[in-house]
Amino acid sequence: MITIKEYVAPASLEEAYKILMSGKTNLILGGFGFIKMGSRAVNKAIDLCNLSLDYITETTDEILIGAETSLRTLEINEIIRNYCGGAISEGVSNIVGVQFRNMAKVGASVFSRYGFSDLLPSLLVLDAKVRLYKGGIIDLEEFLEKDFERDILVEVILPKKKGMAVYDCIRKSTGDFSIINGAMFRGEDGQYKIAIGSRPQRVKLAVKAAKALEDGENIETVVDIIPEELHFGTNVRGSKEYREDMSKALVSRMYCKVGA
Ligand SMILES: Cc1cc2nc3c(=O)[nH]c(=O)nc-3n(C[C@H](O)[C@H](O)[C@H](O)COP(=O)(O)OP(=O)(O)OC[C@H]3O[C@@H](n4cnc5c(N)ncnc54)[C@H](O)[C@@H]3O)c2cc1C
């Protein structure tokens, strides 16, 4: 069971960060979906609801997604649906159900860097960055390599890329966690990016496989590079060997979809 001693809704990010750092058991609240599954005693639960972080806006070069944006908004927002083929919207549409996606937040989902995330593969192939209150703006790829450090994820930044991205996954049933998932981007300039998640570790880019595609290798050869390049593991959802095999099918499927 989770117990919360005090609920606070600060008026600024600075105040939220100060409260977060003032006690080891203080935490930031997202939609509370994952926190409530655990068992811990929280001193101060910090709600970011007063900080106007529920937005999706565009500048000339970027799309900005506030931390308090729900996964459901990502799924149905026109800007995100029209961005590089709608891979982000497609990815999150697989998460549990609409009611849940109305509640779960982007900031929590990205900051937590879950290995099973259906959001991170698309963000990774699209060169997303994250803005952290203390840590500043860093590439998502770098953020995924980092250890956990207490901070507040303020927004996700997407560069306006020209090209097509797809998300795909293999899961036993709707609502279950992916056994394996991934995303692929094909730029108008011939650039490829491939990300494989739920290995079951955090999503990672398959750099060598993407380079082979750019160099004109055929897809049958490229898929064999994936299990050599990335580490796969076993958990209750699938064995290492199964994931390695399925990664090949997944990448072939995504390659067909991005319109090779
Ligand atoms: C039953 C269940 C099934 C799920 N299935 C899937 C699935 O199939 N695919 C998938 O991709 N995801 C899945 N998820 C994860 C889900 O999509 C969300 O990512 C998760 O619930 C966290 O979002 P939340 O808003 O509920 O965060 P919370 O539970 O409120 O917070 C999660 C963590 O993030 C921290 N946090 C919150 N906001 C911030 C912030 N702005 N900055 C820094 N830290 C922050 C919190 O302190 C906490 O540690 C599932 C979750 C549950 C509970």
Side-chain angles (χ1 to χ4, degrees):
M1 192 179 74
I2 182 127
T3 57
I4 296 174
K5 202 166 169 194
E6 194 183 340
Y7 166 89
V8 287
S12 69
L13 271 169
E14 190 186 351
E15 189 188 344
Y17 183 74
K18 272 190 187 151
I19 300 170
L20 176 67
M21 299 310 281
S22 68
K24 276 191 184 152
T25 61
N26 298 345
L27 58 66
I28 304 289
L29 286 177
F32 201 51
F34 216 81
I35 296 173
K36 75 174 175 211
M37 307 282 287
S39 176
R40 61 202 278 197
V42 176
N43 185 26
K44 289 182 181 166
I46 307 155
D47 195 337
L48 306 179
C49 62
N50 291 332
L51 305 184
S52 307
L53 293 176
D54 180 1
Y55 58 82
I56 296 176
T57 53
E58 285 182 277
T59 66
T60 321
D61 306 321
E62 292 171 337
I63 296 169
L64 309 174
I65 306 168
E68 287 283 281
T69 306
S70 74
L71 298 185
R72 177 65 176 164
T73 301
L74 272 193
E75 182 186 353
I76 59 178
N77 178 275
E78 283 302 308
I79 297 172
I80 303 297
R81 284 173 68 92
N82 291 326
Y83 174 60
C84 292
I88 296 172
S89 303
E90 173 60 26
V92 295
S93 73
N94 289 278
I95 301 172
V96 190
V98 171
Q99 284 169 313
F100 182 86
R101 297 197 290 278
N102 269 325
M103 178 196 75
K105 303 284 196 290
V106 169
S109 303
V110 175
F111 190 83
S112 301
R113 290 162 273 181
Y114 304 117
F116 55 76
S117 174
D118 292 299
L119 169 59
L120 292 174
S122 310
L123 294 182
L124 189 57
V125 296
L126 290 163
D127 293 337
K129 294 176 191 292
V130 294
R131 184 193 300 275
L132 302 167
Y133 176 72
K134 201 68 190 168
I137 298 176
I138 57 171
D139 287 335
L140 176 66
E141 188 180 0
E142 185 189 337
F143 183 59
L144 289 170
E145 296 293 330
K146 277 177 172 273
D147 291 333
F148 276 101
E149 226 174 274
R150 304 181 88 203
D151 206 335
I152 301 174
L153 193 142
V154 180
E155 67 182 3
V156 172
I157 304 167
L158 296 168
K160 285 194 173 165
K161 288 174 74 82
K162 287 194 166 51
M164 163 87 180
V166 294
Y167 160 90
D168 204 349
C169 66
I170 292 171
R171 62 217 304 151
K172 280 191 182 139
S173 67
T174 312
D176 200 359
F177 290 105
S178 296
I179 299 169
I180 185 167
N181 61 18
M184 186 184 285
F185 172 77
R186 182 173 65 96
E188 283 179 8
D189 56 359
Q191 181 201 33
Y192 279 92
K193 291 237 168 175
I194 304 168
I196 304 292
S198 293
R199 297 173 294 109
Q201 299 93 336
R202 278 182 199 168
V203 61
K204 218 170 158 53
L205 288 174
V207 178
K208 288 183 190 160
K211 175 79 172 51
L213 277 181
E214 287 167 9
D215 290 345
E217 284 288 354
N218 66 43
I219 188 67
E220 288 79 17
T221 312
V222 170
V223 295
D224 287 334
I225 302 173
I226 303 280
E228 288 167 16
E229 183 178 4
L230 297 178
H231 180 264
F232 290 83
T234 298
N235 70 356
V236 288
R237 278 178 197 86
S239 67
K240 170 182 159 67
E241 292 74 19
Y242 182 70
R243 283 192 164 96
E244 284 176 352
D245 269 357
M246 289 305 108
S247 72
K248 299 180 187 180
L250 197 72
V251 170
S252 292
R253 228 156 67 173
M254 293 194 294
Y255 183 69
C256 292
K257 287 190 201 162
V258 291

